[in-house]
Amino acid sequence: MPERSIPALRTAIAPHAPDLLADFEAGWRAKVADTYDIGAAPAFLARWWAEYALARDPELDRHVHDLEERAAHSTDPDKAKALLEEAAAIHQRAAQLGPGD
C-alpha cells in the first residue's frame, strides 16, 4: 500500500487498478474538489483506501463481489447476513492495511 494520502493513492491506482481511476476522480470532484468541503477528504480517503486494497488483489476482489452478489440473491435472510458479514470483515481488514502492507 502507498503512503496514506490522496495524491499517493491516486498515483498507486493509476498503474495497478486503472479501472478505478475514473470513479476515484469523479468521486474526488463530487465529494471534495467541487464542493470545497475539505472535511470530506478523510472519509473519501478511507473509502478509496479499502477499494484500492481489494482491487490490487483481483482474486480477493472477486471473492468479495461474489459474497455480496450471493447475499443479494439469497432467499435465506440468515445466509445473506452471514455472506455480508464475511464481506464486511474483508473490507474491514483491507481498510486497516497501512503503508507498505
Side-chain angles (χ1 to χ4, degrees), residues 7-55:
L9 185 57
R10 178 185 288 118
T11 299
I13 288 172
H16 299 291
D19 53 314
L20 293 182
L21 195 54
D23 288 342
F24 176 90
E25 294 294 346
W28 174 251
R29 283 190 303 279
K31 301 289 185 198
V32 182
D34 291 349
T35 64
Y36 301 101
D37 182 8
I38 201 67
F44 177 84
L45 179 59
R47 175 186 180 246
W48 281 97
W49 185 264
E51 288 288 330
Y52 172 69
L54 290 176

Side-chain angles (χ1 to χ4, degrees), residues 3-101:
E3 172 189 323
R4 197 173 193 113
S5 71
I6 291 166
L9 185 57
R10 178 185 288 118
T11 299
I13 288 172
H16 299 291
D19 53 314
L20 293 182
L21 195 54
D23 288 342
F24 176 90
E25 294 294 346
W28 174 251
R29 283 190 303 279
K31 301 289 185 198
V32 182
D34 291 349
T35 64
Y36 301 101
D37 182 8
I38 201 67
F44 177 84
L45 179 59
R47 175 186 180 246
W48 281 97
W49 185 264
E51 288 288 330
Y52 172 69
L54 290 176
R56 70 187 186 136
D57 183 343
E59 187 175 318
L60 183 59
D61 195 35
R62 278 190 295 277
H63 177 64
V64 169
H65 287 294
D66 178 62
L67 291 169
E68 294 167 343
E69 187 70 20
R70 288 171 37 212
H73 292 98
S74 178
T75 58
D76 178 348
D78 292 330
K79 178 68 174 174
K81 181 179 180 225
L83 291 166
L84 290 175
E85 286 173 346
E86 184 179 348
I90 295 168
H91 277 281
Q92 183 67 27
R93 285 193 303 274
Q96 292 175 350
L97 291 173
D101 288 341

